[in-house]
């Protein structure tokens, strides 16, 4: 009898402990998912540098979408935060994703509570934006890429939805040094001295991290924000990659998901971007390629020329941008690990969101008693000239008909003198393209854009459709925090985060002071000098609505141009195999033996990778013999492998055999698709000879 009593007492105490822990530990229901969003890996322009000649020719690591669903158990309100390895949010992608979500979940996930934040990688395939300006360099709109990306984002949200469980969130932040610098310090220095004196650095160095744990207290994922341009992969790179952010996610996820191949992870770590507008990972500063001297400070030129001034990153001595990418990623990873370990401050409070669509070109507001209107979008000459991370990308726009760009040829007729009104409004911007006045074949830049706030307790995420500069981001977070602290929605420890470029893309946002000197970022602030002030007003309005529980009109939809979108990319007519070979044949086989440290390069006869987007699949597997079975040991998402399209129906697979590879027997399997005359697309595959690694 006594025994039974003691037993029961023990059970009750344990139950109590679980309840107590449960109460403090699981405030929310959380779901997390990762999925592949890699589009066409060859034959299409890469998004970011705006260089038509930068055409993808293979794959280093796959681009992923990482989705986090956070549900308030008391109200069932939920938010979805997606960080995707994309150059930016895109309305076309967002609409396609939301349409699929609606089919599956009804109104559960919608434009108001779903945020899609781009990491800003410059190493992914282009063509997924509906506005004409972004299609000039990609020779048109590439439906397949919108399809792949939106399917992948949807898949990541479905996975997150299916994994919803009681969980908790902890927040932590800390300084990450040596991973970003300001690439436009001359612009930054235009901001008032008193304002600059409030900050130690001319870029934000703080990484803010949310750690997600399940009811047992195990880490199930994390999101962090740190502002840096993912331009570690240079503008002559042709391999698809998530750049420094995607690479950081890759390495941290590898550590947390032992025994899985890339893409199969269940513990997911997102490295999202923030007020990155004037930041660079090329931390050694800009130098002239010819003389080795620092570039001219105000203009980032060398002897008056932009083309030879380059920001030096970790790859500058060797040209090895994969190494540079890894270095910046490793700095991210070690800080994130430290913050995961030290994140003990629980996030508590309601889940909420506010959302509206605003026609920025026709947006009026009052500023210090004056009526202000934003301008019709326009780009300045400095935007065309590029930055020290990739000088002169858009140079061909300056009336040069010699580039043979078919898209540009039809658009040159469209370029007209900006109206007087736009010139006045955009002053002092010297306008090169009045994109807001260019509407043929369809609009060049957006006018209606998404303004969104997510609340996770004491954490507020400003989801922004642009690249905010350091000081612009600071003004935004400060403004929103002031409103919400005053309203008692968050306390002084509350954290306001800028996340973007998200949902759609409207280039840069500088402060009016930075705008006045019209460097690249100012030239790219498309709605004129008051763009930031307009955003401050819009996010203030949303903050007030969040605090006072006001209904915000959702606003009007931007037009949909995807149906009439042009595409000048020559299609694949037919794939023709190498003479006397068939598709899948090995052209360059392996040796019999390798030792760790060596690199294998094999080649197959393969169809154009454009024929078929292999989402959630792999162009090849390195297979390992275990017993009498071949096990997939590596796929094409692996850091130590590369897939290259060499043209003329030849693909190359590269595997760097690192020291951690077990001795054993291996082979490499390739799988692809080729097109027959008449258009039928058929699969092909092939296997190398067997080899040993010791
Ligand atoms: C990873 O898993 C393998 C077996 O699947 C095991 O041998 C190894 O110790 C694990 N490593 C870690 C760090 O857990
Ligand atoms: C890219 O350019 C850099 C700097 O000019 C050079 O060192 C590097 O080898 C180039 N990379 C490729 C893949 O061509
Ligand atoms: C904003 O102001 C301009 C000029 O004052 C006016 O033409 C325009 O209609 C206004 N826009 C809206 C949305 O009220
Ligand atoms: C480019 O071509 C267009 C139309 O063919 C022509 O109007 C324009 O003057 C040309 N520009 C230059 C710089 O040659």
């Amino acid at each position: 009898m006594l025994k039974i009593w003691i037993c029961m007492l023990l059970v009750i105490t344990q139950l109590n402990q679980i309840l107590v822990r449960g109460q403090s530990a699981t405030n929310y229901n959380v779901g997390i998912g990762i999925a592949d969003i890699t589009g066409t890996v060859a034959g299409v322009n890469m998004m970011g540098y705006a260089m038509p000649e930068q055409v993808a020719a293979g794959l280093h690591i796959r681009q992923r979408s990482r989705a986090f669903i956070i549900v308030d158990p008391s109200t069932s309100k939920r938010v979805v935060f997606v960080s995707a390895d994309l150059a930016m949010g895109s309305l076309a992608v967002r609409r396609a994703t939301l349409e699929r979500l609606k089919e599956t979940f009804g109104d559960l996930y919608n434009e108001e509570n779903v945020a899609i934040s781009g990491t800003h990688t410059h190493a992914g395939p282009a063509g997924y934006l509906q506005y004409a300006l972004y299609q000039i360099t990609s020779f048109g709109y590439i439906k397949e890429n919108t399809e792949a990306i939106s399917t992948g984002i949807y898949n990541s949200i479905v996975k997150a939805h299916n994994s919803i469980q009681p969980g908790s969130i902890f927040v932590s932040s800390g300084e990450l040094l040596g991973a970003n610098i300001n690439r436009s310090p001359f612009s930054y220095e235009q901001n008032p001295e008193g304002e600059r004196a409030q900050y130690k650095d001319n870029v934000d160095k703080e990484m803010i991290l949310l750690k997600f744990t399940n009811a047992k207290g195990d880490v199930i994922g994390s999101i962090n924000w740190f502002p840096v341009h993912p331009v570690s992969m240079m503008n002559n790179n042709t391999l698809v990659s998530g750049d420094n952010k995607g690479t950081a996610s890759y390495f941290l996820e590898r550590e947390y998901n032992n025994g899985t191949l890339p893409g199969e992870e269940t513990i997911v770590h997102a490295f999202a971007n923030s007020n990155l507008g004037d930041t660079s990972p090329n931390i050694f500063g800009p130098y002239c390629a010819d003389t080795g001297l620092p570039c001219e400070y105000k203009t980032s030129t060398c002897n008056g020329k932009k083309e030879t001034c380059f920001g030096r990153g970790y790859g500058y001595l060797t040209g090895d941008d994969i190494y540079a990418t890894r270095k910046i990623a490793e700095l991210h990873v070690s800080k994130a690990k430290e913050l995961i370990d030290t994140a003990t401050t629980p996030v508590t409070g309601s889940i909420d969101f506010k959302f509206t669509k605003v026609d920025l070109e026709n947006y009026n507001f009052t500023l210090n008693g004056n009526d202000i209107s934003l301008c019709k979008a326009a780009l300045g000459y400095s935007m065309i000239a590029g930055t020290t991370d990739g000088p002169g990308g858009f140079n061909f726009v300056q009336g040069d008909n010699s580039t043979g760009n078919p898209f540009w040829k039809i658009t040159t007729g469209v370029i007209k003198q900006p109206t007087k009104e736009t010139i006045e409004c955009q002053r002092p911007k010297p306008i090169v393209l009045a994109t807001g006045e260019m509407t043929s074949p369809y609009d060049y830049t957006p006018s209606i854009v998404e303004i969104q706030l997510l609340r996770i307790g004491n954490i507020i995420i400003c989801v922004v459709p642009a690249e905010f500069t350091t000081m612009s981001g600071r003004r935004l977070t400060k403004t929103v925090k002031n409103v919400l602290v005053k309203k008692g929605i968050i306390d002084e420890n509350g954290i306001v985060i800028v996340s973007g470029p998200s949902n759609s893309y409207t280039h840069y946002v500088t402060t009016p002071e930075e705008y006045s000197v019209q460097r690249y970022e100012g030239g790219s602030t498309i709605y004129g000098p008051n763009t930031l002030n307009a955003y401050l007003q819009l996010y203030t309005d949303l903050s007030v609505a969040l605090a006072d529980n006001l209904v915000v009109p959702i606003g009007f939809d931007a037009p949909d141009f995807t149906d009439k979108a042009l595409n000048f990319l020559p299609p694949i007519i037919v794939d023709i195999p190498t003479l006397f070979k068939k598709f899948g044949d090995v052209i360059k086989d392996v040796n019999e033996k390798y030792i760790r440290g060596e690199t294998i390069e094999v080649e197959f006869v393969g169809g154009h990778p454009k024929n078929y987007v292999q989402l959630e699949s792999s162009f090849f597997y390195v297979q390992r013999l275990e017993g009498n079975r071949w096990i997939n040991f590596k796929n094409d998402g692996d850091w130590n492998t590369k897939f290259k399209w060499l043209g003329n129906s030849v693909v190359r697979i590269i595997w760097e055999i690192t020291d951690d590879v077990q001795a054993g027997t291996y082979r490499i399997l390739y799988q692809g698709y080729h097109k027959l005359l008449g258009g039928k697309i058929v699969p092909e595959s092939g296997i190398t000879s067997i080899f040993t690694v010791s």
Side-chain angles (χ1 to χ4, degrees):
M1 193 66 185
L2 187 66
K3 257 189 185 162
I4 292 175
W5 271 113
I6 292 176
C7 237
M8 281 189 67
L9 258 175
L10 270 174
V11 168
I12 288 168
T13 335
Q14 270 173 7
L15 263 178
N16 247 338
Q17 273 174 356
I18 289 167
L19 279 178
V20 167
R21 253 194 290 150
Q23 272 165 6
S24 62
T26 71
N27 289 312
Y28 302 110
N29 293 326
V30 295
I32 301 176
I34 184 171
D36 181 18
I37 54 168
T38 311
T40 306
V41 303
V44 304
N45 179 237
M46 297 175 100
M47 190 67 195
Y49 285 111
M51 308 236 317
E53 58 273 42
Q54 191 193 11
V55 173
L59 173 67
H60 183 212
I61 57 170
R62 283 188 176 256
Q63 295 164 273
R64 311 280 179 192
S65 168
R66 297 173 172 87
F68 299 77
I69 301 175
I70 302 136
V71 188
D72 188 333
S74 58
T75 62
S76 288
K77 264 201 179 172
R78 60 187 65 205
V79 291
V80 184
F81 179 82
V82 173
S83 176
D85 292 328
L86 293 174
M88 64 271 298
S90 141
L91 183 58
V93 164
R94 187 173 156 79
R95 280 186 171 149
T97 308
L98 289 170
E99 227 165 80
R100 282 166 174 274
L101 286 171
K102 197 177 175 72
E103 279 166 24
T104 312
F105 299 105
D107 289 332
L108 194 57
Y109 303 111
N110 54 59
E111 61 180 341
E112 294 181 73
N113 67 357
V114 174
I116 302 172
S117 191
T119 59
H120 204 40
T121 174
H122 282 43
Y128 54 92
L129 275 72
Q130 71 155 356
Y131 294 95
L133 182 66
Y134 318 106
Q135 297 169 9
I136 295 171
T137 44
S138 62
F139 293 8
Y141 177 69
I142 303 166
K143 213 169 55 198
E144 294 79 2
N145 287 342
T146 301
E147 181 67 20
I149 296 164
S150 57
T151 304
I153 294 174
Y154 165 81
N155 288 340
S156 68
I157 295 173
V158 170
K159 281 193 198 175
H161 177 86
N162 292 335
S163 77
I164 291 178
Q165 56 181 314
S168 38
I169 307 172
F170 299 89
V171 60
S172 181
S173 64
E175 258 191 351
L176 168 52
L177 300 178
N180 65 355
I181 63 161
N182 193 308
R183 70 181 185 192
S184 274
F186 177 67
S187 279
Y188 178 87
E189 283 154 20
Q190 306 308 308
N191 294 310
E193 207 179 332
E195 183 181 34
R196 282 182 285 128
Q198 296 166 31
Y199 305 95
K200 209 165 75 201
D201 298 290
N202 62 5
V203 286
D204 283 334
K205 300 279 186 187
E206 199 180 34
M207 178 185 274
I208 301 166
L209 180 137
L210 300 181
K211 170 171 83 174
F212 295 77
T213 58
N214 61 16
K216 284 191 289 180
D218 299 331
V219 174
I220 53 173
S222 71
I223 316 171
N224 69 68
W225 288 265
F226 176 80
V228 64
H229 253 83
V231 291
S232 292
M233 296 300 288
M234 290 187 270
N235 63 9
N236 57 357
N237 159 56
T238 57
L239 297 182
V240 167
S241 163
D243 207 281
N244 49 41
K245 295 281 181 184
T247 299
S249 284
Y250 170 90
F251 279 109
L252 192 53
E253 285 166 355
R254 290 290 85 214
E255 285 191 35
Y256 271 88
N257 294 273
N258 194 11
T260 67
L261 292 178
E264 299 173 350
E265 300 86 353
T266 51
I267 302 175
V268 178
H269 297 286
F271 287 73
N273 231 320
S274 191
N275 49 338
L276 57 77
D278 48 359
T279 66
S280 170
N282 295 319
I283 56 161
F284 305 111
Y287 287 86
C288 300
D290 40 3
T291 61
L293 296 171
C295 307
E296 202 277 323
Y297 187 67
K298 286 187 188 176
T299 56
S300 298
T301 51
C302 303
N303 283 325
K305 281 196 308 200
K306 204 104 195 176
E307 288 74 13
T308 45
C309 170
F310 286 97
R312 285 182 180 175
Y314 280 103
Y316 90 91
L317 278 181
T318 56
D320 184 354
D321 51 3
I322 288 184
Y323 169 78
T325 299
R326 184 169 184 157
K327 285 293 282 186
I328 296 294
E330 282 173 350
L331 290 164
H332 276 77
V333 168
S334 67
K335 182 52 66 176
K337 282 165 74 171
E338 183 193 313
L339 295 179
I340 288 172
D341 289 344
T342 56
T344 48
T345 308
V347 178
T348 58
S350 309
I351 301 299
D352 209 348
F353 50 85
K354 285 291 165 195
F355 172 84
T356 185
K357 284 170 287 196
V358 177
D359 185 357
L360 287 183
E361 288 181 339
N362 295 300
Y363 180 65
N364 301 327
F365 63 109
T366 47
L367 183 66
N368 307 324
N370 299 315
D371 291 333
I372 307 275
S373 302
L374 288 189
C375 318
K376 287 252 184 293
L379 293 158
Y381 272 94
S382 52
M383 182 275 175
I384 301 302
T387 73
T388 52
D389 291 329
F394 238 100
N395 247 336
F396 69 93
V397 170
Q398 303 193 46
D400 177 1
N401 288 349
S402 63
T403 57
N405 182 327
F407 201 110
W408 191 239
K409 276 195 180 130
I410 68 150
T411 56
T412 41
V414 177
I415 301 178
K416 41 180 188 222
Q417 279 299 108
T419 58
K420 241 187 174 156
E421 202 186 339
T422 300
I423 293 172
E424 276 310 312
C425 185
Q426 294 272 358
R427 219 173 268 288
K429 181 189 285 172
I431 296 173
V432 63
L433 281 180
T435 56
E437 292 169 358
M438 292 161 64
T439 53
S440 169
Y442 33 86
D443 292 3
Y444 275 63
T445 42
S447 183
I448 297 178
V449 301
E450 299 73 25
I451 309 289
Q452 191 178 35
L453 271 186
L454 305 183
R455 177 184 178 200
I456 307 166
N458 225 12
I459 310 294
I460 304 293
I461 304 170
C462 301
V463 183
V464 298
E467 304 179 46
F468 278 57
T469 60
T470 300
M471 198 60 102
S472 301
R474 287 170 178 169
R475 287 189 195 171
L476 178 63
T477 53
K478 209 170 180 173
T479 302
V480 168
K481 188 167 178 174
N482 273 343
V483 174
L484 293 177
V485 168
K486 237 182 242 157
K487 294 263 182 192
I489 289 295
I490 59 174
D491 60 30
E492 275 303 331
N493 298 321
I495 296 177
V496 181
I497 294 162
V498 176
S499 190
S502 298
N503 291 338
S504 52
Y505 186 63
T506 62
H507 299 254
Y508 283 66
V509 177
T510 60
T511 66
E513 295 87 343
E514 292 163 352
Y515 186 92
S516 72
V517 293
Q518 282 294 307
R519 279 177 54 94
Y520 178 86
E521 296 80 12
S524 306
T525 297
I526 59 176
Y527 305 111
N530 284 303
T531 305
L532 173 62
N533 286 324
Y535 277 110
L536 296 184
Q537 184 62 54
L538 288 163
Y539 281 91
T540 297
D541 293 347
L542 274 198
S543 302
V544 170
L546 185 82
D548 297 347
N549 206 14
L550 305 175
V551 174
V552 180
I554 284 196
F556 295 101
D557 272 335
D560 187 343
F561 302 122
T562 55
D563 282 345
K564 56 174 172 177
L566 301 173
N567 185 331
F568 293 97
L569 268 186
I572 310 290
I573 306 294
V574 60
D575 288 293
I576 299 168
T578 322
L579 207 56
F580 308 125
K581 299 275 184 192
K582 58 184 196 312
F583 284 104
D585 280 358
V586 178
I587 311 175
K588 185 177 169 197
D589 205 353
V590 291
N591 301 333
E592 265 173 50
K593 295 175 177 173
Y594 292 89
I595 52 169
R596 280 169 277 216
E598 283 184 295
T599 296
I600 295 184
E601 263 190 39
V602 294
E603 288 171 12
F604 289 87
V605 181
H608 201 299
K610 242 175 93 168
N611 288 324
Y612 188 78
V613 171
Q614 298 204 39
L615 206 61
E616 295 291 351
S617 182
S618 184
F619 285 98
F620 63 85
Y621 293 99
V622 176
Q623 298 185 315
R624 182 182 149 79
L625 189 61
E626 288 186 7
N628 54 7
R629 292 201 318 141
W630 288 99
I631 306 293
N632 289 339
F633 176 69
K634 292 202 175 284
N635 63 19
D636 67 11
D638 195 282
W639 183 259
N640 296 311
T641 64
K642 293 189 190 85
F643 175 73
K644 290 189 176 175
W645 167 246
L646 304 186
N648 299 317
S649 300
V650 178
V651 299
R652 178 182 293 162
I653 295 160
I654 299 168
W655 177 30
E656 221 177 288
I657 312 171
T658 46
D659 288 343
D660 55 331
V661 170
Q662 305 137 272
T665 304
Y666 293 85
R667 66 180 192 183
I668 296 172
L669 179 149
Y670 158 73
Q671 52 183 26
Y673 292 81
H674 60 276
K675 198 180 226 178
L676 304 177
L677 208 55
K680 194 172 175 210
I681 290 170
V682 291
E684 71 216 9
S685 65
I687 304 176
T688 63
S689 302
I690 290 169
F691 57 94
T692 61
V693 169
S694 56

